[in-house]
Amino acid sequence: LGGPVAIGLLTPFRNALTATAQEPNITVDALRARLRQQGLSQLYRGWLGPTAAASVQFSCVGPVYFAAAQYLGAAGGVTFAAAVEALVVYTAETRNVQLAHNSSGVGSKVSVQSYSRPIGPGFALFFSRILIANSGLRLVSAPVSRVASDAGLVKPAANVLGDFVGGVTMGMLATPISQAYVFTVSSAKALEAQSVERALLV
């Protein structure tokens, strides 16, 4: 329950990131003023799809990782689980981005991703974002925790430090990839381009 609720409530922040993907020079004050002027409906534009997909995302991806890791190891498990997660939420999140962009009045409107297409433009970036972000807790946390524990930190504190460092570090690395994905799916020029041309635009 917590995951879908959080995803739904954080829709305004996702929509703000959509705006900055197409207007990288917009200031925080200008963005805040625009969103305030557009009202609550624009703030939560496209919220339903990601919220519904999150019910599957937050209940299944963890078990998928642990099942896959038994056969593929931690790195293989993270990769497999990231692929499953991307397939589950790509369309919903892409529609959220595109609906928010189309109703913002900025730039050319784009065609909205169909629910019948679980893969489309920007999918590789989307998958990469998930893979890198999830690696924080699955791959980076444990080594950091061990180093902290060997240095004398009590185990509970070492575990918290490992989770914090892993989550924050990999989250930071995933952020520009996430913005590249948002730019790709909300840019009419990028959506119409071939794969190589699209990569050059990003």
Side-chain angles (χ1 to χ4, degrees), residues 13-81:
F13 294 94
R14 291 198 306 277
N15 291 350
L17 290 174
T18 296
T20 61
Q22 294 300 328
E23 294 183 279
N25 295 322
I26 191 171
T27 65
V28 173
D29 288 339
L31 180 60
R32 186 186 300 118
R34 178 193 297 170
L35 293 175
R36 187 165 53 241
Q37 183 180 20
Q38 291 173 337
L40 194 64
S41 61
Q42 175 62 20
L43 284 175
Y44 282 91
R45 182 71 169 159
W47 71 275
L48 184 58
T51 303
S55 63
V56 178
Q57 177 185 11
F58 279 83
S59 61
C60 296
V61 172
V64 166
Y65 161 74
F66 286 111
Q70 289 182 347
Y71 300 96
L72 304 174
V78 169
T79 303
F80 185 80

